């Protein structure tokens, strides 16, 4: 059994590494653009009024209230008849980014609200406008406090990328499925993939833990959130 396992690792590793590269790329792109979009959604929900605030709230609740798989299937299967025909890779990048943005918005909003209102009052007292106070005083603190929630989201997205195999995106699970369909060693192949996911998750968890310690504000705790 051990010889078979080692042989499978050696033979399948090039394809699995290609899948892993796509998985990590998908996670990084979704987190980067999702975080940027999420910050603007959070600001819209926290500080805007009227239609902008309601649009931000509606988007966040829609994303957080529906399964990621349903969102991906809508992009891949529902949109083509209406002239929007995206490839599996495009759907993966777009779908995960949009999903990530909804959660990042709520994490950021919570961090924004954790900053004392006295700081806004003080900013007004020295002549700052509302948005100057937000971007120069509140947001820098909020983003640092949101790092633990962002790191959790990164781990979630990294693991959820496995859903992309359902539309044929060339991520890690897709590569494992293709290989297993040829050699019929499904248990061993998925065991190898599980070990790879574990190692990557542990690496990024350690990395984010190091970042949190480096940017932590002395005497101020982080704001922790979990996915619903």
């Amino acid at each position: 059994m051990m010889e078979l396992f080692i042989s499978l690792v050696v033979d399948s590793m090039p394809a699995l590494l290609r899948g892993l590269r796509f998985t990590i790329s998908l996670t990084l792109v979704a987190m980067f653009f999702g975080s940027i979009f999420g910050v603007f959604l959070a600001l819209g929900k926290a500080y805007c009024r009227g239609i902008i605030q309601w649009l931000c709230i509606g988007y966040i609740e829609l994303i957080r209230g529906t399964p990621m798989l349903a969102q991906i299937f809508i992009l891949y299967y529902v949109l083509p008849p209406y002239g929007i025909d995206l490839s599996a890779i495009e759907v993966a990048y777009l779908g995960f980014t949009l999903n990530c943005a909804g959660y990042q918005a709520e994490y950021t909003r919570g961090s924004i609200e954790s900053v004392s209102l006295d700081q806004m009052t003080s900013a007004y007292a020295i002549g700052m406008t509302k948005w100057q106070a937000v971007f120069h005083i509140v947001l820098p603190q909020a983003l640092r406090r949101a790092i633990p929630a962002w790191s959790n989201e990164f781990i979630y997205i990294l693991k959820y990328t496995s859903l992309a195999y359902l539309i044929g995106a060339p991520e890690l699970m897709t590569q494992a499925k293709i290989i297993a369909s040829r050699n019929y060693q499904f248990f061993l192949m998925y065991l190898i993939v599980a070990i790879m996911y574990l190692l990557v998750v542990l690496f990024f968890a350690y990395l984010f833990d190091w970042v949190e310690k480096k940017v932590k504000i002395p005497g101020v705790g982080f704001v922790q959130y979990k996915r619903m």
Side-chain angles (χ1 to χ4, degrees):
M1 177 64 74
M2 182 57 67
E3 292 181 358
L4 176 59
F5 181 80
I6 295 174
S7 176
L8 281 175
V9 170
V10 173
D11 293 339
S12 62
M13 194 52 61
L16 293 179
L17 287 178
R18 288 195 299 272
L20 182 60
R21 282 196 297 270
F22 180 83
T23 291
I24 294 176
S25 170
L26 177 57
T27 305
L28 292 173
V29 169
M31 280 295 299
F32 180 76
F33 290 103
S35 297
I36 294 174
F37 186 23
V39 167
F40 285 102
L41 287 170
L43 293 175
K45 182 176 180 179
Y47 293 109
C48 293
R49 295 293 179 267
I51 186 65
I52 294 179
Q53 183 183 50
W54 284 108
L55 286 174
C56 293
I57 292 173
Y59 179 87
I60 293 169
E61 296 306 317
L62 176 65
I63 292 297
R64 297 174 72 232
T66 56
M68 182 187 291
L69 184 59
Q71 298 163 18
I72 294 174
F73 277 4
I74 288 173
L75 292 174
Y76 192 68
Y77 293 111
V78 177
L79 294 184
Y82 298 96
I84 305 175
D85 193 3
L86 302 175
S87 67
I89 293 176
E90 291 170 335
V91 167
Y93 279 110
L94 179 61
F96 279 89
T97 298
L98 295 177
N99 181 274
C100 180
Y103 286 93
Q104 296 290 60
E106 199 63 9
Y107 303 150
T108 306
R109 180 199 58 81
S111 298
I112 288 172
E113 294 182 353
S114 72
V115 178
S116 173
L117 291 176
D118 294 339
Q119 299 192 39
M120 288 289 288
T121 304
S122 300
Y124 293 148
I126 62 174
M128 282 188 172
T129 65
K130 179 177 76 172
W131 290 110
Q132 285 176 331
V134 168
F135 282 104
H136 293 288
I137 295 177
V138 176
L139 195 57
Q141 297 180 69
L143 294 180
R144 293 173 77 175
R145 295 184 181 190
I147 288 176
W150 286 4
S151 63
N152 288 339
E153 180 69 10
F154 185 94
I155 299 302
Y156 280 121
I157 292 295
L158 178 61
K159 292 185 292 185
Y160 288 159
T161 55
S162 59
L163 293 176
Y165 96 93
L166 293 171
I167 59 173
E171 49 78 54
L172 183 56
M173 283 295 295
T174 302
Q175 299 292 352
K177 181 181 178 182
I178 292 173
I179 297 171
S181 66
R182 295 170 180 168
N183 58 29
Y184 300 102
Q185 297 295 333
F186 289 94
F187 172 75
L188 292 179
M189 283 307 308
Y190 291 140
L191 177 60
I192 294 170
V193 168
I195 294 172
M196 293 178 69
Y197 272 115
L198 178 61
L199 293 176
V200 173
V201 166
L202 290 175
F203 168 77
F204 281 108
Y206 175 81
L207 178 62
F208 285 122
D209 184 62
W210 178 81
V211 172
E212 289 174 22
K213 293 176 181 178
K214 288 294 182 180
V215 303
K216 183 176 181 180
I217 304 172
V220 179
F222 288 111
V223 179
Q224 294 281 0
Y225 295 93
K226 293 182 178 180
R227 272 181 174 253
M228 293 178 61

